[in-house]
Amino acid sequence: MAFEGLTEKLNAAFKRLRGKGRLTENDVREAMREVRLALLEADVSYKVVKDFVASVTERAVGSDVLDSLTPAQQVVKIVNEELTALMGGANAKIAMASSGPTVVMMVGLQGAGKTTTTAKLGGLMRRQYQKRPLLAACDVYRPAAIEQLKVVGGQMDLPVFEEGQGDPVQIAGNAIRHARDHGNDMVFLDTAGRLHVDENLMDELKRMKAAVHPNEILLVVDAMTGQDAVNAASAFDEALGIDGVILTKLDGDARGGAALSIRAATGKPIKFAGTGEKLDMIEPFHPDRMASRILGMGDMLSFIEKAEQAYDEKQAAKIEEKLRKNRFTLQDYYDQLQQLKNMGDLSQLLGMMPGNLGKQMQGASIDEKAMARTEAIILSMTPLERENPQVLNASRKKRIAAGCGLEVVDVNRLLKQFDMMRELTKQLSKGGRMPGLGALGGMGGKAPSRLHGFGRKKRFR
């Protein structure tokens, strides 16, 4: 994950400070030297590191810190605040049009993931903000670019406007008119990229900007390219005047320097971050939450938001009542598995945990293949069988196994796990404590039971 190395080095520097009852100015300056090295190794630009360390040092050697009863905590607080400011301070949103569709130009170099990110962002706008996006295929040069947008758009159930290998500026204008006529309130223009910044690319983007007057120009950059991403951002901003940046591949082995340098280099905010390959793995970029994650404090707000997005309050109340009365069925079991799946990649959730909690659970995983087998078995049952597993005799089990392409032993294993879970919930209900999603055993994961507590929304408050 991005920032992992930086987090370890910063925590090592702060650990030495915490071992001292009082801090001297030399203690602070020594810690700042380690912070500077850690940032440089994370591929943060030299000028940004120099200014950042100078700002932190100036605040940290003040009397408020040196005379504090918990000076090390004060230093960490200052670093946290300065990191947040460095990345923009607060989440920056897309500027929406007051009338007509909001037009967003997606620009960037080839290989940054622009086309996929266009579909991801469209899906996020529909999912979280109830928008009706239209994706427009304006990259007429890259082989299969139009087809790729149609494929990812189809996977997200988003409409795609395309007119083949025509003039991209004219296609963009036609897409906006199509959106007005068909009730789409957002248009995402997937423009052409190059392997490097060149004059032809910029001229075409300038013509498109002049023709369609986009509300937003968002630059898609690959976080794993480090300072190259910062250089690309500066070049695009100088030529086009971008409004924001989307960082992709933050889940990769990135050192994180791009996220910490782009705002300082361009003055433009990072608005979204791609956190994985799946099409729902994009999220608004919150500088304060990212700073907390960098410093090992976790990101519980994002964790809670992910949980609540996957959480269905009515369904949870219904299931809890069934658990209390020991009427939990295989259909309920299946529904809970879907909620757990909707929370996303477990490794990303662990990265949001504060302190060492995420590391302690790093071995935990959910075997998606095992979960898929479980789903296939349940979906091969009739509604009667899901509601009344006790009717499953040998012939029914054989039919179910054949229907999902598995063996009878797999069906028996699931039923045994289900019976064990029902027995567990029966015992827990006597003590007044209901298990949540994580109580669902048998998913093939190494430690699914540690994800307890998702059964009731008030636990998030």
Side-chain angles (χ1 to χ4, degrees):
M1 287 294 291
F3 302 115
E4 189 172 338
L6 177 59
T7 299
E8 290 178 1
K9 289 181 173 65
L10 290 179
N11 280 334
F14 296 141
K15 187 175 181 180
R16 281 188 278 276
L17 288 182
R18 293 188 187 102
K20 299 175 182 290
R22 301 290 293 235
L23 293 185
T24 65
E25 188 170 325
N26 282 338
D27 292 330
V28 173
R29 293 191 183 280
E30 178 62 33
M32 289 306 106
R33 274 194 289 272
E34 295 183 36
V35 169
R36 182 174 65 246
L37 287 173
L39 290 171
L40 289 172
E41 288 179 15
D43 206 18
V44 182
S45 71
Y46 177 76
K47 184 181 182 304
V48 171
V49 173
K50 182 181 175 183
D51 293 344
F52 176 81
V53 171
S55 178
V56 172
T57 303
E58 183 180 352
R59 292 182 60 188
V61 297
S63 59
D64 288 348
V65 170
L66 300 184
D67 295 339
S68 169
L69 292 176
T70 56
Q73 291 177 11
Q74 286 289 88
V75 172
V76 174
K77 179 175 180 288
I78 290 170
V79 172
N80 187 17
E81 291 170 353
E82 292 292 329
L83 276 175
T84 301
L86 183 64
M87 291 185 286
N91 171 243
K93 302 184 185 304
I94 289 179
M96 296 295 178
S98 56
S99 62
T102 297
V103 180
V104 181
M105 263 181 74
M106 305 288 286
V107 302
L109 300 179
Q110 282 185 17
K114 180 163 44 61
T115 298
T116 303
T117 300
T118 299
K120 283 184 174 185
L121 188 53
L124 179 70
M125 290 296 111
R126 189 185 62 183
R127 201 164 54 245
Q128 288 194 11
Y129 304 99
Q130 289 71 55
K131 297 294 182 181
R132 298 182 300 281
L134 173 70
L135 310 183
C138 300
D139 182 355
V140 299
Y141 308 111
R142 181 169 63 87
I146 295 173
E147 189 60 33
Q148 182 188 357
L149 187 66
K150 288 165 68 175
V151 168
V152 291
Q155 290 172 348
M156 298 295 288
D157 197 23
L158 297 173
V160 176
F161 181 89
E162 59 96 5
E163 290 183 335
Q165 311 291 321
D167 176 12
V169 177
Q170 187 176 341
I171 292 171
N174 292 342
I176 295 168
R177 282 187 285 276
H178 179 89
R180 286 197 184 100
D181 294 342
H182 292 81
N184 299 105
D185 51 12
M186 294 192 81
V187 181
F188 291 93
L189 306 177
D190 179 31
T191 66
R194 300 286 190 279
L195 294 177
H196 59 277
V197 176
D198 66 18
E199 195 173 330
N200 291 335
L201 167 65
M202 289 307 179
D203 284 345
E204 181 178 292
L205 295 177
K206 287 176 184 176
R207 287 196 299 116
M208 187 176 293
K209 178 182 178 181
V212 304
H213 305 291
N215 302 91
E216 289 266 328
I217 300 178
L218 296 180
L219 174 68
V220 181
V221 295
D222 182 346
M224 295 180 70
T225 59
Q227 286 308 297
D228 285 341
V230 179
N231 296 335
S234 299
F236 273 90
D237 185 45
E238 187 177 332
L240 280 178
I242 63 173
D243 297 293
V245 174
I246 301 178
L247 275 181
T248 64
K249 307 178 188 177
L250 262 184
D251 58 313
D253 186 23
R255 287 171 287 180
L260 294 175
S261 302
I262 280 179
R263 171 72 187 212
T266 66
K268 301 303 166 63
I270 300 170
K271 295 196 173 186
F272 299 92
T275 57
E277 292 183 3
K278 294 181 181 177
L279 291 176
D280 61 349
M281 288 185 171
I282 186 171
E283 57 191 42
F285 186 86
H286 296 274
D288 53 342
R289 301 183 190 182
M290 187 57 71
S292 292
R293 290 177 71 173
I294 291 171
L295 295 176
M297 299 175 185
D299 180 5
M300 292 308 295
L301 284 175
S302 292
F303 181 85
I304 290 166
E305 285 176 1
K306 278 186 175 289
E308 290 186 334
Q309 286 167 19
Y311 173 88
D312 184 324
E313 188 170 5
K314 289 182 179 178
Q315 186 185 49
K318 173 184 170 186
I319 286 175
E320 182 169 350
E321 181 64 22
K322 285 191 169 189
L323 285 168
R324 289 189 183 281
K325 295 180 179 179
N326 201 28
R327 293 178 183 168
F328 194 72
T329 69
L330 282 165
Q331 181 62 50
D332 300 323
Y333 187 49
Y334 175 80
D335 292 340
Q336 288 271 278
L337 287 180
Q338 295 309 302
Q339 285 204 52
L340 184 59
K341 276 179 65 177
N342 289 341
M343 285 195 66
D345 187 350
L346 180 61
S347 65
Q348 291 188 9
L349 298 177
L350 296 180
M352 298 174 187
M353 298 294 185
N356 292 321
L357 184 56
K359 280 196 169 184
Q360 291 170 4
M361 295 179 65
Q362 206 62 50
S365 65
I366 294 176
D367 187 338
E368 292 189 4
K369 289 184 178 179
M371 189 182 285
R373 288 194 292 270
T374 297
E375 292 175 356
I377 292 171
I378 295 175
L379 291 175
S380 293
M381 297 178 183
T382 65
L384 172 67
E385 290 165 344
R386 290 180 214 167
E387 293 295 324
N388 303 282
Q390 62 271 17
V391 304
L392 291 173
N393 55 25
S395 62
R396 287 177 181 264
K397 291 176 184 177
K398 188 175 180 181
R399 189 205 79 244
I400 292 167
C404 61
L406 295 171
E407 303 291 333
V408 172
V409 66
D410 298 309
V411 179
N412 285 332
R413 185 182 300 116
L414 169 62
L415 294 174
K416 183 177 180 181
Q417 291 167 346
F418 179 69
D419 286 340
M420 288 172 62
M421 192 209 69
R422 284 219 296 190
E423 186 60 33
L424 172 65
T425 56
K426 184 177 180 181
Q427 294 173 15
L428 288 173
S429 66
K430 294 176 182 177
R433 182 174 179 274
M434 286 291 100
L437 292 177
L440 300 179
M443 293 178 290
K446 296 177 184 176
S449 61
R450 293 177 183 174
L451 292 173
H452 64 277
F454 297 157
R456 304 180 72 177
K457 193 168 186 176
K458 66 182 180 182
R459 289 183 183 144
F460 296 136
R461 301 300 182 196

